[in-house]
Amino acid sequence: MTLRICHILPVLLLCATHAAASLPRDPAEQARIFAACMGRYAAAMEHAWLLGDADGATPEARRELFEMMLDAILPDARDAGFEGIDVWRYRSGAKQAQSRLLQLSSFDPDRGRARRAQTLARRQIAMCESLILG
């Protein structure tokens, strides 16, 4: 993905204005959060596709936004000890966890367990949403 200043600047401004209080200052920790959010949105995107949900475009756009944010912070995160393999580890771990929650919420015959999984899946996404929507 080729990044231009016209793409990165709005992302950085968004981070500075909406999420400054809730986003850690450590670039490695920011990279962890961005990678995890990318994974959660990737799972939501795939789940929407699986269920034939027309709202699959929203998770895809959010995943792309977190990818741009991660790309913007990654050089500083690497200087702070965050390696390329860490991106994969946090992204895939969060994606697997979110996928499991979404599967349980949609298909578990135990309605109590399905509701708890749905609540937790929504909380995970809400944390990511709070970083970009304030």
Side-chain angles (χ1 to χ4, degrees):
M1 167 186 247
T2 304
L3 293 177
R4 297 183 180 161
I5 193 69
C6 63
H7 293 124
I8 296 172
L9 189 57
V11 171
L12 295 176
L13 289 173
L14 183 68
C15 288
T17 58
H18 288 291
S22 59
L23 194 60
R25 296 182 74 102
D26 177 34
E29 186 59 28
Q30 289 176 12
R32 284 183 195 97
I33 292 168
F34 297 161
C37 288
M38 281 176 58
R40 289 180 187 131
Y41 282 115
M45 191 173 71
E46 289 175 5
H47 191 73
W49 176 80
L50 174 70
L51 297 180
D53 187 352
D55 194 34
T58 300
E60 183 177 6
R62 298 285 198 258
R63 187 200 58 76
E64 289 173 359
L65 177 61
F66 276 101
E67 184 177 11
M68 286 191 301
M69 292 165 50
L70 179 62
D71 287 344
I73 196 70
L74 202 50
D76 291 334
R78 282 192 176 122
D79 291 343
F82 190 81
E83 299 296 326
I85 190 74
D86 294 327
V87 172
W88 178 84
R89 187 169 9 125
Y90 283 98
R91 183 184 182 278
S92 65
K95 181 180 176 185
Q96 289 174 353
Q98 191 75 7
S99 290
R100 181 69 177 140
L101 290 172
L102 293 170
Q103 288 170 2
L104 286 171
S105 72
S106 295
F107 305 117
D108 196 300
D110 180 336
R111 294 314 311 154
R113 187 173 23 223
R115 279 191 305 276
R116 288 188 299 276
Q118 183 178 44
T119 298
L120 186 53
R122 286 182 177 162
R123 283 183 187 158
Q124 297 289 5
I125 289 292
M127 188 280 300
C128 296
E129 292 279 316
S130 72
L131 296 173
I132 56 176
L133 300 177

